[in-house]
């Protein structure tokens, strides 16, 4: 069975990212949506479908539309990968003609953002949170020692992830952390949650980003600034409450299964992928991702990164915006991974890799709770 | 008031917290599919609602850990401190803090045997961990 081709015709981040104290979370989302719509010569009234992790009714009101398709799926930072997947289905079935996926988060400045509430009656609230979990840096990170122990690795395995990504961030003028780092720089940075130093933990920032999706047929009649980027395949899996509930502390089932479905629906395998984005809130996540997606064997991710394969000039350019660790991390970073993949396929990234025709974007949600994968390619 | 976060028991977990108040660790167990954690009213494997609560030994091994240098609510006077995952001898995994050893990486390792004790926190008895044979209670 052949499905109608769905394409990204607009993609943009908010004008400012990083520390943006005078724009609300919703404002960051709407600002990026208008910029993304401009890529395709569209007005808000051309949009009949929206998705986001902010209240979708508020987003609709603020954008000024009455959408007939709304997706408020929120499973954490990979939600935007799931929004892409759901939008593909909606566009193919005629539930919408033009879908805008919006992200806005005032993670640092907390402008127009409700205080973060914790539900102590959930599984995580009863069995994880009471034990002095100060933030994601002391919960998302916990499985890491099991991983390092299993493969006989030491703490520098994490530092090398930051070092590799800093080489990309140095080419990105909008990256929050732009300095090329050495292993010593990382190891000597402030201890947050042993074995994690601050340069192995994402910063907390403000920012927004949006994508505009439609059918290839409709796109052919649009006045586009850039060639459309095709959504070739998608996958998602919700695994559960969080890191202590993982089946295996050294491998993430939701990474394995969402990526396998994305590869299957794209009719591609790892050898077809030119460029890779793996959501990296913390430095261990790309280690899990490279192995769970099948780019390397079990326990091989550290040597792969250390050997330069994912760095500039390497065989598998990964997290070329510097990743959540270096570029920006608003809280739900997934949209920024998608944005960099689109830039690479358009040929417009400040850290452009020559000849990128396919990109695999893997997101994680919560703390090893959910995952979404999107395969993109040039048309 | 310690300012530390308190679990809010639900009907599904009430027995778990009633047993910890007695100094015991209990979880529901399906005859066919084994332990059920977090506790709930059905077996997530077979869907059965016919099962009993059973007591666990309270012994296990450290499956993973971090040493946090940033305090969670109420832990301000305790940094740095361990947050550990314990794989119980019977299978299920619990989160907790480790007491009774110096708070440094060389004092802990994956696979280290530990036993449970219970911390009384504003009416709730929380499972906590110490090396086997240690007498510490916090």
């Amino acid at each position: 069975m052949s499905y109608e081709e769905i394409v990204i015709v607009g993609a943009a981040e908010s004008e400012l990212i990083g520390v943006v104290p005078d724009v609300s979370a919703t404002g960051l989302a709407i600002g990026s949506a208008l910029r993304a719509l401009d890529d395709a010569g569209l007005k808000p009234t051309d949009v009949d479908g929206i998705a986001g992790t902010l209240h979708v009714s508020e987003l609709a009101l603020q954008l000024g539309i009455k959408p007939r398709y709304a997706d408020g799926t929120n499973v954490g930072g990979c939600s935007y990968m799931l929004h892409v997947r759901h939008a593909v289905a909606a566009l193919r079935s005629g539930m919408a003609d033009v879908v805008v996926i919006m992200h806005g988060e005032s993670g640092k400045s907390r402008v127009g953002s409700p205080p973060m509430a914790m539900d102590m009656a959930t599984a995580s609230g009863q069995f994880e949170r009471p034990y002095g979990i100060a933030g994601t840096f002391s919960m998302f990170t916990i499985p890491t020692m099991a991983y390092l122990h299993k493969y006989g690795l030491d703490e520098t395995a994490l530092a090398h992830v930051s070092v590799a990504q800093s080489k990309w961030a140095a080419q990105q003028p909008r990256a929050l952390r732009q300095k090329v780092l050495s292993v010593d720089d990382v190891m000597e940075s402030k201890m947050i949650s042993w074995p994690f130093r601050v340069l192995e933990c994402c910063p907390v920032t403000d920012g927004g980003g949006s994508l505009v999706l439609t059918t290839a047929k409709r796109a052919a009649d649009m006045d586009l600034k850039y060639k459309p980027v095709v959504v070739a395949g998608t996958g998602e899996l919700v695994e559960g409450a969080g890191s202590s509930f993982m089946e295996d502390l050294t491998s993430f089932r939701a990474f394995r299964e969402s990526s396998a479905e994305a590869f299957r629906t794209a009719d591609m395998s790892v050898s077809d992928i030119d460029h890779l984005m793996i959501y990296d809130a913390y430095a261990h996540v790309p280690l899990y991702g490279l192995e769970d997606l099948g780019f390397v064997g079990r326990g091989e991710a550290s040597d792969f990164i250390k050997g330069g394969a994912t760095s500039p000039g390497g065989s598998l350019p990964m997290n070329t915006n510097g990743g959540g660790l270096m570029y920006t991390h608003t809280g739900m970073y997934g949209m920024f991974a998608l944005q960099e993949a689109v830039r690479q396929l358009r040929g417009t990234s400040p850290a452009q890799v020559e000849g990128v025709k396919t990109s695999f974007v893997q997101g994680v949600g919560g703390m090893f709770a959910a995952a979404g994968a999107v395969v993109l390619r040039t048309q | 008031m310690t300012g530390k976060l308190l679990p809010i028991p639900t009907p599904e977990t009430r027995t778990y917290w009633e047993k910890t108040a007695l100094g015991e660790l209990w979880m529901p167990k399906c005859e066919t599919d084994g332990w059920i954690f977090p506790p709930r009213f059905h077996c997530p494997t077979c869907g059965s609602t016919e099962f009993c609560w059973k007591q666990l030994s309270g012994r296990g091994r450290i499956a993973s850990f971090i040493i946090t240098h940033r305090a969670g609510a109420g832990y301000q006077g305790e940094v740095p401190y361990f947050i550990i995952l314990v794989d119980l001898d019977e299978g299920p995994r619990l989160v907790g803090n480790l007491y009774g050893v110096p708070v440094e990486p060389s004092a802990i390792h994956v696979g280290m045997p530990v036993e449970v004790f219970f911390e009384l926190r504003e009416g709730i008895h929380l499972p906590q961990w110490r090396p086997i044979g240690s007498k510490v209670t916090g």
Side-chain angles (χ1 to χ4, degrees):
Chain A
M1 181 172 175
S2 83
Y3 292 103
E4 188 166 10
E5 193 165 89
I6 304 302
V7 293
I8 295 171
V9 293
E13 296 175 1
S14 53
E15 185 180 357
L16 299 173
I17 59 170
V19 183
V20 191
D22 52 356
V23 186
S24 69
T26 304
L28 291 163
I30 299 296
S32 66
L34 294 175
R35 289 159 64 92
L37 287 167
D38 189 56
D39 280 358
L42 296 172
K43 306 182 298 297
T45 46
D46 296 318
V47 176
D48 63 352
I50 62 168
T53 49
L54 295 165
H55 291 296
V56 284
S57 47
E58 179 75 8
L59 288 172
L61 175 76
Q62 295 293 344
L63 191 59
I65 63 163
K66 305 208 167 14
R68 65 192 179 103
Y69 167 83
D71 179 7
T73 302
N74 190 343
V75 291
C78 67
S79 299
Y80 313 100
M81 287 77 173
L82 275 66
H83 295 155
V84 169
R85 174 172 162 85
H86 305 167
V88 166
L91 291 161
R92 280 182 177 150
S93 63
M95 290 167 68
D97 294 319
V98 176
V99 175
V100 178
I101 301 168
M102 287 176 267
H103 165 72
E105 194 165 5
S106 184
K108 171 81 174 172
S109 305
R110 311 295 308 163
V111 183
S113 299
M116 288 191 247
M118 219 175 305
D119 182 350
M120 297 303 289
T122 61
S124 183
Q126 292 190 59
F127 302 108
E128 293 181 333
R129 289 283 172 178
Y131 295 101
I133 309 296
T136 53
F137 53 82
S138 52
M139 191 71 228
F140 198 173
T141 52
I142 294 191
T144 307
M145 284 309 295
Y147 174 91
L148 296 177
H149 176 80
K150 181 172 180 178
Y151 299 115
L153 298 166
D154 66 22
E155 303 156 70
T156 61
L158 302 170
H160 281 287
V161 174
S162 299
V163 167
Q165 293 186 192
S166 75
K167 294 171 187 167
W168 290 111
Q171 301 175 37
Q172 295 278 357
R174 280 161 66 87
L176 189 81
R177 294 170 171 165
Q178 295 189 10
K179 184 173 176 274
V180 175
L181 301 170
S182 67
V183 170
D184 285 346
D185 289 335
V186 179
M187 296 299 285
E188 287 161 15
S189 70
K190 191 176 167 63
M191 185 63 74
I192 299 295
S193 183
W194 192 93
F196 287 80
R197 278 79 175 171
V198 68
L199 291 174
E200 295 157 340
C201 302
C202 60
V204 182
T205 63
D206 309 321
S210 293
L211 296 171
V212 183
L213 278 74
T214 190
T215 60
K217 196 177 162 198
R218 174 98 189 246
D221 296 328
M222 288 180 177
D223 181 20
L224 303 178
K225 278 191 188 166
Y226 306 97
K227 285 183 182 168
V229 167
V230 178
V231 182
T234 62
E236 70 183 84
L237 194 87
V238 176
E239 173 157 345
S243 51
S244 81
F245 299 99
M246 293 172 84
E247 288 174 341
D248 176 352
L249 294 172
T250 67
S251 169
F252 182 32
R253 177 176 174 174
F255 269 175
R256 298 196 306 270
E257 297 197 10
S258 64
S259 63
E261 183 151 337
F263 278 124
R264 182 180 62 76
T265 51
D267 195 21
M268 289 188 207
S269 66
V270 289
S271 60
D272 296 312
I273 301 302
D274 298 330
H275 172 258
L276 175 63
M277 298 297 292
I278 297 178
Y279 191 125
D280 56 325
Y282 295 91
H284 63 311
V285 187
L287 299 174
Y288 283 68
L290 282 167
E291 296 173 16
D292 287 335
L293 273 56
F295 284 97
V296 298
R298 292 277 156 218
E300 295 174 4
S302 177
D303 280 347
F304 189 69
I305 291 171
K306 201 170 158 182
T310 62
S311 295
S315 59
L316 183 64
M318 181 179 78
N319 294 346
T320 52
N321 60 352
L325 291 174
M326 304 295 153
Y327 185 70
T328 208
H329 196 292
T330 51
M332 293 195 273
Y333 161 79
M335 176 55 79
F336 297 96
L338 288 161
Q339 293 288 333
E340 173 64 10
V342 171
R343 286 193 293 266
Q344 288 286 347
L345 291 162
R346 285 175 169 180
T348 62
S349 172
Q352 185 63 43
V353 176
E354 201 65 38
V356 174
K357 291 193 170 59
T358 57
S359 179
F360 195 105
V361 191
Q362 179 68 59
V364 59
M367 296 182 262
F368 284 132
V374 175
V375 185
L376 301 175
R377 64 169 170 82
T378 53
Q379 197 173 33
Chain B
M1 285 287 286
T2 63
K4 289 183 176 176
L5 297 175
L6 281 175
I8 299 175
T10 58
E12 289 85 351
T13 64
R14 190 156 292 139
T15 302
Y16 178 89
W17 295 112
E18 284 171 0
K19 293 294 187 184
T20 64
L22 302 173
E24 295 172 1
L25 199 55
W26 291 63
M27 291 180 188
K29 188 176 186 187
C30 172
E31 287 295 329
T32 314
D33 301 304
W35 297 99
I36 298 167
F37 187 80
R40 69 206 87 172
F41 291 137
H42 73 283
C43 168
T45 305
C46 68
S48 168
T49 55
E50 301 291 318
F51 50 76
C52 301
W53 285 73
K54 299 259 170 69
Q55 188 172 3
L56 296 104
S57 65
R59 291 193 170 199
R61 289 174 184 274
I62 293 176
S64 204
F65 63 95
I66 54 115
I67 303 172
T68 186
H69 289 244
R70 300 273 180 103
Y75 279 73
Q76 282 78 3
E78 301 179 30
V79 283
Y81 56 91
F82 292 113
I83 303 175
I84 65 173
L85 301 182
V86 177
D87 281 347
L88 298 171
D89 287 349
E90 294 86 353
R93 183 186 299 135
L94 289 176
V95 185
N97 303 120
L98 176 68
Y99 296 90
V101 298
V103 184
E104 52 196 49
S106 59
I108 184 173
H109 61 271
V110 171
M112 179 173 158
V114 289
E115 65 180 22
V116 75
F117 69 93
F118 295 91
E119 172 198 333
L120 176 58
R121 187 184 295 180
E122 295 176 58
I124 296 266
H125 292 73
L126 288 144
Q128 291 285 22
W129 304 91
R130 62 191 177 197
I132 304 272
S134 167
K135 295 281 182 271
V136 301
T137 55

